[in-house]
Amino acid sequence: HPGSGTKVCLCPFLPLHPLHISTHLYIIQHPAEENKVLRTVPLLAACLPQDKCKVKIGRRFSEERDPELSTVCRKSDTLILYPGAEAANLEEFILDSPIYPSTIIIIDGTWSQAKDIFYKNSLFRLPKQVQLKTSISSQYVIRTQPTNRCLSTLECAAAALSILEKNNYIQETLLRPLQALCSFQLQHGAQIRLSKEHLLKNGLYPKPMPKNKRKLRKMELLMDSVKI
């Protein structure tokens, strides 16, 4: 809820009953995400059946620490949603895949947190890596995303589930509470947070340009909206 002390109830925007889905969703949440005021994962969990949406909190996962997750990662019908050169586009992947996916793993955290979780846990390299071939800009205007193509965890889950379940109603239903949250925040004086990419392109990014060459290069890559 906004800093003004006004509480917002999003219940009217949630589905009356959890959505019927056959896909299992695992959210791997960076511990720092838990304490943020504006998180989208609770909205997601409120729309889905409890047995279909599991949130695992942590930075490091292994056989010993999480046998359940390790079993899930080893199954041939599990996907992990993480963009990159190795990733297949989800829509195309399900057309060609001999085994229809039953489970999708999504990492919840900032860009760098997600990168850290993905690359430092060998378990997450076992499932087939997929990405969303998305042209949609994030509706999640309250927290700055590094590029316009970075979607909140809720938006990723909504898009992925609607593709896997072949049902666009899922995406509309899951995005409704997010749209309500954002419009409420904006009515109560929250500034629209344009993505850093947009701000950089238009010379509006408040931070001074870094002196460090690697950082400058990273920013240039961001401006070309290349996924690093």
Side-chain angles (χ1 to χ4, degrees):
H1 52 87
S4 59
T6 337
K7 281 196 166 53
V8 53
C9 179
L10 296 170
C11 297
F13 304 98
L14 298 174
L16 281 173
H17 304 287
L19 288 171
H20 283 289
I21 56 169
S22 53
T23 311
H24 290 266
L25 176 67
Y26 280 82
I27 307 274
I28 308 299
Q29 191 174 68
H30 190 280
E33 276 298 297
E34 273 184 287
N35 313 318
K36 295 236 171 89
V37 181
L38 289 169
R39 296 165 310 148
T40 64
V41 168
L43 294 179
L44 183 58
C47 298
L48 298 174
Q50 280 184 330
D51 63 325
K52 292 287 184 352
C53 179
K54 294 203 171 147
V55 180
K56 303 265 181 189
I57 298 164
R59 286 189 183 87
R60 300 291 172 263
F61 298 87
S62 62
E63 296 271 358
E64 301 74 48
R65 280 191 197 167
D66 202 319
E68 180 204 3
L69 189 61
S70 146
T71 306
V72 167
C73 286
R74 288 178 193 290
K75 282 168 58 190
S76 57
D77 57 356
T78 297
L79 305 178
I80 187 159
L81 189 69
Y82 188 83
E86 304 294 302
N89 285 329
L90 180 59
E91 293 98 321
E92 290 151 30
F93 175 76
I94 58 171
L95 293 176
D96 305 331
S97 173
I99 303 165
Y100 202 82
S102 72
T103 305
I104 189 159
I105 299 170
I106 297 179
I107 304 174
D108 181 44
T110 63
W111 216 30
S112 55
Q113 287 164 354
K115 191 174 174 182
D116 174 70
I117 287 174
F118 182 73
Y119 286 108
K120 295 213 175 128
N121 290 288
S122 53
L123 272 184
F124 296 143
R125 242 120 41 258
L126 299 172
K128 177 69 191 162
Q129 188 186 345
V130 293
Q131 63 189 0
L132 296 167
K133 184 182 66 184
T134 176
S135 51
I136 46 177
S137 240
S138 177
Q139 308 215 357
Y140 187 36
V141 289
I142 314 295
R143 275 172 63 184
T144 309
Q145 308 286 9
T147 81
N148 285 324
R149 291 241 292 286
C150 280
L151 302 179
S152 67
T153 306
L154 175 71
E155 289 167 307
C156 286
L161 287 174
S162 62
I163 293 165
L164 289 167
E165 300 282 325
K166 300 186 169 69
N167 178 352
N168 282 331
Y169 169 73
I170 290 175
Q171 187 161 1
E172 289 163 31
T173 307
L174 289 175
L175 292 184
R176 200 171 297 132
L178 181 68
Q179 288 156 347
L181 173 69
C182 287
S183 67
F184 184 87
Q185 292 279 350
L186 297 172
Q187 285 160 21
H188 288 76
Q191 261 69 56
I192 286 203
R193 304 282 287 274
L194 291 163
S195 75
K196 289 178 188 165
E197 173 197 25
H198 176 92
L199 298 176
L200 279 169
K201 266 195 179 143
N202 296 289
L204 302 168
Y205 197 56
K207 289 188 183 164
M209 284 311 252
K211 295 182 175 65
N212 176 330
K213 280 211 172 98
R214 266 187 64 211
K215 268 209 161 149
L216 267 172
R217 179 79 193 110
K218 261 193 166 171
M219 281 190 157
E220 281 164 16
L221 283 172
L222 261 183
M223 288 166 79
D224 300 333
S225 83
V226 172
K227 292 268 188 347
I228 300 173

